[in-house]
Amino acid sequence: MRPDPQAPGPLLSVRGLSVDFAGVPAVSGLSFDVAPGEVLALVGESGAGKSVTARALLGMAPREATVSGSVLLRGARVTAADWGRRVALVPQDALSALSPVHPVGEQLALAVRSVRGLSRKDARSRALSALAEVGIPASGATAYPHEFSGGMRQRAVIAMAMINRPELVVADEPTTALDPETQDRILAVLGERCTATGASLVLVTHDLGAVRARADRMAVMYAGRLAEYGPVHRVLDRPLAPYTEGLLACLPTAATPRKSRLPVIPGRPPAPGSVPSGCAFTPRCRYATDRCRTERPAPRAVDGREVACHLDHLESL
Ligand code: SF4
């Protein structure tokens, strides 16, 4: 039975999620919630563990990974039986999510038949509706994925993800390969479909403009851990974690002159397996102290969000 979307409490509850590959941690001790209908953005530099986290949320971590901690969807573990029903993935590479040898409409009809047990006629009709909902005309139903543009393919993948009305959608950098205008339109379609169906969305992205426009809360990850987690407007308007501060400083704003060089956070994120023993950000942090080199900061509540940093005067930085 489908859980009541109005039921109190988070839709997704993540506690102490860790993912190791042959003993090398990729993600360590993540804890956060996703409320019904909420959009949570996972942000951070490449290698921060965002995509590994995204897949672990869906119970889709690679076979060679060791996953610990708990990920509960309305109190129950997510299993393969939930894929395409209660949870769905919108991947970066649309071609990996679509079969090259079947027309797009046929693939959608099959997805809804296998879950809902509809007749062929009703499944076909539902597939056409699902395509229309993402802006693909009925004529697109007979096309093969390779006949679509990148933007149209990503729309088809969104239609596929949404066709069985999942409660949770995880989108892993769903627009990276597209031009900026198309990126914006695709994220709008994804957001509209989630709003229309009441689904929660976990959006993995590098695009902090998209985060501000589309997310309710954000989790900033660094070296597989949470650096800062809270409401988007609080985190973006007044970042408290030094890492978030550095990340935002690298972005252009309306006041940035064209062609000017943007600052960058010095150094590189540590490779998995070479993460410093104290705070992982120590080598790149201009506020680092001796304590940072030896003691890992645990997330703590500061000004309406959680921040993993030892500094006790964060609010006055
Ligand atoms: S704990 Fe230390 S090194 Fe880490 S972010 Fe805070 S000040 Fe910087």
Side-chain angles (χ1 to χ4, degrees):
M1 191 174 74
R2 192 182 172 92
D4 176 4
Q6 304 300 323
L11 174 76
L12 186 76
S13 180
V14 179
R15 293 292 175 269
L17 174 66
S18 297
V19 184
D20 290 14
F21 290 87
V24 175
V27 168
S28 302
L30 294 190
S31 296
F32 57 83
D33 291 332
V34 182
E38 182 180 37
V39 179
L40 172 75
L42 285 185
V43 305
E45 292 165 288
S46 296
K50 306 184 298 295
S51 292
V52 173
T53 301
R55 278 168 171 69
L57 297 183
L58 297 174
M60 293 179 181
R63 196 169 295 177
E64 62 275 21
T66 305
V67 181
S68 57
S70 78
V71 177
L72 300 178
L73 186 74
R74 287 280 186 226
R77 221 163 53 82
V78 179
T79 67
D82 297 315
W83 298 347
R85 299 167 187 250
R86 297 186 63 200
V87 301
L89 174 69
V90 177
Q92 185 180 123
D93 175 14
L95 284 175
S96 70
L98 297 167
S99 163
V101 295
H102 296 288
V104 168
E106 204 176 283
Q107 296 185 48
L108 264 74
L110 184 62
V112 75
R113 275 195 88 195
S114 63
V115 169
R116 304 270 172 233
L118 300 182
S119 68
R120 278 180 196 281
K121 185 168 167 235
D122 288 348
R124 213 166 27 242
S125 157
R126 180 69 196 103
L128 290 177
S129 307
L131 289 173
E133 286 161 0
V134 298
I136 298 179
S139 57
T142 53
Y144 290 83
H146 72 268
E147 296 177 296
F148 278 169
S149 65
M152 288 282 275
R153 272 201 294 272
Q154 209 51 287
R155 285 175 191 262
V157 169
I158 293 170
M160 178 77 95
M162 302 306 298
I163 197 162
N164 288 311
R165 302 281 164 111
E167 295 155 75
L168 175 70
V169 178
V170 174
D172 186 4
E173 309 222 28
T175 60
T176 299
L178 307 174
D179 65 80
E181 207 175 301
T182 309
Q183 287 185 4
D184 204 45
R185 283 204 295 266
I186 297 301
L187 287 179
V189 167
L190 180 59
E192 279 159 20
R193 294 315 307 146
C194 288
T195 302
T197 61
S200 302
L201 173 64
V202 175
L203 176 64
V204 176
T205 182
H206 284 99
D207 181 352
L208 293 181
V211 173
R212 185 183 285 283
R214 313 209 175 275
D216 302 300
R217 277 193 285 186
M218 61 190 292
V220 182
M221 293 184 65
Y222 186 76
R225 293 176 177 269
L226 276 188
E228 187 160 359
Y229 161 59
V232 162
H233 66 95
R234 276 187 193 269
V235 176
L236 290 185
D237 291 346
R238 199 155 156 269
L240 295 183
Y243 177 61
T244 317
E245 182 195 53
L247 205 57
L248 295 187
C250 302
L251 289 178
T253 67
T256 309
R258 289 188 70 195
K259 295 191 177 170
S260 62
R261 288 184 71 135
L262 291 165
V264 292
I265 306 176
R268 289 172 175 275
S274 310
V275 178
S277 56
C279 174
F281 193 51
T282 305
R284 307 174 74 191
C285 181
R286 63 191 172 122
Y287 306 108
T289 64
D290 286 348
R291 184 182 178 199
C292 304
R293 285 175 245 290
T294 54
E295 194 183 322
R296 185 160 282 156
R300 62 191 166 99
V302 187
D303 187 34
R305 84 289 296 272
E306 287 187 33
V307 186
C309 180
H310 292 311
L311 295 186
D312 53 12
H313 57 288
L314 281 168
E315 289 171 84
S316 61
L317 284 181

